[in-house]
Amino acid sequence: MLSELMEKGRKIISEQNYDFLLESVETGFILKNNREIFEKYTFRQKAIDAVEPDLSVNILGLTLKSPIVMSAMTMPIPVIRKGGLMETVLGLGDAGSLLWTGTPVPENLKELADSGVPVAATVKPFTDRRKIFEALETVQKAGVAWVGLETDVGWGTKIRDRAVVSDCSPLSLTEIKELKQSTDRPFVLKGILSREDALKAVEAGADAIVVSNHGGHTLDYLPHPFQVMDEIVGAVKGETEIIVDGGFRRGSDVLKGLAFGASLVGLGRPILWALAADGREGVKTLIEEMNKELLRILGMVGAKNVSEINSDILIRT
Ligand SMILES: Cc1cc2nc3c(=O)[nH]c(=O)nc-3n(C[C@H](O)[C@H](O)[C@H](O)COP(=O)(O)O)c2cc1C
């Protein structure tokens, strides 16, 4: 079911000639590594006395039905499907999840937030710093639940050899602190991949960090989050929430993200495939099917809920 849905969407996007949007920077290493890493971990089964676990998550003022959310994206959605942002938010809402917008700030962001589905919005570190403050103000006025900054696109974004975003520059810690001060919503820093940046995120007052290599759209040869999670979790010592994304495709992948210490797991490309395949219904089905997989496997590792998961359940191959 899940693989058929993703396959159908992949084919439609390819027929539309938009599959380049889903490729990655320069050599393509990141996309490959973002899948291969999952094969390195298996689960410690504890089948005796297993109970049906609770998937719900309370985080930064929101209660979500499961730890599976959308990763920040705007641009590909209306390209792949007209009216797709509204269909995506409604499909995510049907499944009790969260919409996360990226660049550009959607023109209908207020309408999306008015749907009643939780919405988060991330903005880029534009070289013209006024544009960052303006974008943060716009998304707040639209009524999003969380605001965020992409710390990892200071050198722009690139797919294969083609520059996609180029009007950005790296942020300083001082600037991040000022931006945090300018908002009254939970503040999320996306694109953290080292203990050093994680510590700076905590110092800046980030309520959450997204450990992410941006799905391979920024710099080549960045590690997968699993390669740096231990150092990051150890550095932040619970002072900020941890969200992870990059290559998550099945409920079992999500469980590995939780085992590494994340509270939420983000999906990028799978949302686009599901939307292309079947609109609102496709997005809803994607999240619900992944939830079902997660529920089964979470029960079989002996967990009662999502928050008690830790790396004890993992056996490295
Ligand atoms: C076409 C496309 C557009 C994206 N746009 C943004 C964006 O505007 N802002 C952002 O923070 N991340 C953006 N991302 C990265 C995603 O938020 C996420 O980190 C990544 O896609 C996760 O990996 P996955 O696609 O393997 O699930 C984009 C990703 C894709 C594929």
Side-chain angles (χ1 to χ4, degrees), residues 202-312:
V202 169
E203 190 184 332
D207 300 289
I209 57 174
V210 186
V211 183
S212 168
N213 58 29
H214 213 106
H217 278 183
T218 57
L219 303 172
D220 209 354
Y221 288 97
L222 293 176
H224 184 268
F226 289 176
Q227 295 171 263
V228 292
M229 278 297 270
D230 287 348
E231 67 176 68
I232 290 176
V233 171
V236 305
K237 296 190 179 70
E239 289 189 54
T240 185
E241 296 282 357
I242 298 181
I243 302 167
V244 67
D245 74 17
F248 292 82
R249 304 290 179 260
R250 312 293 310 212
S252 54
D253 298 339
V254 174
L255 183 54
K256 290 173 190 175
L258 302 177
F260 270 102
S263 301
L264 297 180
V265 169
L267 306 178
R269 291 165 179 84
I271 298 278
L272 304 178
W273 295 324
L275 178 74
D278 210 5
R280 171 179 180 170
E281 196 55 35
V283 173
K284 171 182 179 246
T285 304
L286 172 81
I287 304 288
E288 288 185 345
E289 290 300 315
M290 282 182 77
N291 281 345
K292 280 189 210 159
E293 290 185 349
L294 176 62
L295 195 74
R296 254 180 105 234
I297 195 126
L298 195 62
M300 288 304 274
V301 297
K304 285 187 225 49
N305 55 54
V306 161
S307 61
E308 71 178 40
I309 288 296
N310 60 46
S311 57
D312 285 351

Side-chain angles (χ1 to χ4, degrees), residues 192-200 228 231-232 234-237:
I192 303 296
L193 278 178
S194 63
R195 70 184 297 280
E196 289 80 1
D197 278 0
L199 287 170
K200 285 178 184 166
V228 292
E231 67 176 68
I232 290 176
V236 305
K237 296 190 179 70

